[in-house]
Amino acid sequence: MQLARLDAATLQTMRVSVVDQLYSALRAAIIDNDLSPGSRISEAEIAQHYGVSRQPVREAFIKLANEGLLEVRPQRGTFVAKISLSAVMDARFVREAVEADIVKLLAQDAAPALIADLRGQLTRQRGIIGGSARDFMEADEAFHHTLAAGAGKANAWRVIVEMKAQMDRVRFLSSMHFSVARLVDQHTELVEAIAAGDAGRAEQTIRAHLKGILKDLPVIEQEHPEFFR
C-alpha cells in the first residue's frame, strides 16, 4: 500500500475535519491507483498509518463506499471497488451536457480577467506535459472548475465532482497511457473560442474534449481488465 502520510498533528489543526482529510487522501490514492481495484483495505491499518483512531477512518470509509469507491463484503472485509463502466459513462454524459452549456454562457460574455486566468493556466499545463499524471489531473480539475465558476455555475460543478469518481480513475490511467499534449491543445482551442465569443465552436470543442475518454477507455480496459467490473 503506497499512501502519502498526513501528520496527525496537522490533521487535528487543519480547518477541515480529520474525516474529510482521510477521505480526501484515500480518495486520491484510489483514483491514482496507489490503492488498486480489488485490493483489500483495513480500518486498523489505515488508522495506524495515519496515527488516528479507527472512528474517523470508519467514517471516511462510509463516504468512500457511498461514492462507489469502496465495497464492504460481509465476513470478508472492505475492498477497493473495481471501476464501474456504467458509472464512467453516466458521469461523462452529465459532464458533457453541463459543460457544453457552461462554455456557451462564457462565450456570450467573456470577461477579460477570466480569459487571462485561463491562459495563465494553459501556460502551467504546458509546463506539466511529460510530468506526473497527478500534477496534470490537478491542473485539469482547476481549469474545468474555473470555467464553471466563471459562468456562475460553481454549484453545478460540485454536483459533477460528486458523481465523477469512477471517471476520474479512468482519466488518471489515460493520463499515464496517452500524451496529455492533445488535452492541452483542446483546452487552448476552447479558451480561444470563448475569448472570440464563438459559442458554437466552444461547444463543439468541449464536447469533443469530453468524448476523448470513449476512445481511450477500450485500450485501458484491454490492458487492465482486472481493474474493471
Side-chain angles (χ1 to χ4, degrees), residues 98 102 145 148-162:
V98 173
I102 283 172
H145 175 263
K153 301 299 179 184
N155 287 334
W157 177 251
R158 280 194 285 271
V159 172
I160 291 174
V161 169
E162 290 173 1

Side-chain angles (χ1 to χ4, degrees), residues 80-93:
V80 177
K82 293 192 175 184
I83 299 171
S84 166
L85 289 175
S86 62
V88 173
M89 293 303 184
D90 285 349
R92 194 217 62 80
F93 178 83

Side-chain angles (χ1 to χ4, degrees), residues 10-56:
T10 302
L11 280 171
Q12 295 289 350
T13 57
M14 293 187 74
R15 294 176 64 183
V16 292
S17 72
V18 175
V19 174
D20 287 340
Q21 284 295 301
L22 288 169
Y23 161 78
S24 296
L26 293 171
R27 187 182 189 278
I30 292 171
I31 289 173
D32 292 4
N33 202 36
D34 289 332
L35 291 172
S36 298
S39 61
R40 191 175 185 278
I41 185 170
S42 159
E43 283 183 11
E45 290 178 0
I46 296 299
Q48 182 178 18
H49 181 84
Y50 288 118
V52 297
S53 69
R54 292 181 63 170
Q55 181 58 36

Side-chain angles (χ1 to χ4, degrees), residues 14 28 34-35 41 43 64 74 77 99 106 112 143 156 169 192 212:
M14 293 187 74
D34 289 332
L35 291 172
I41 185 170
E43 283 183 11
L64 292 164
E99 292 199 65
L106 291 174
F143 179 82
R169 298 171 81 182
E192 294 312 309

Side-chain angles (χ1 to χ4, degrees), residues 175-186:
S175 295
M176 294 181 65
H177 282 71
F178 305 102
S179 171
V180 300
R182 60 171 179 152
L183 302 179
V184 179
D185 288 343
Q186 290 170 347

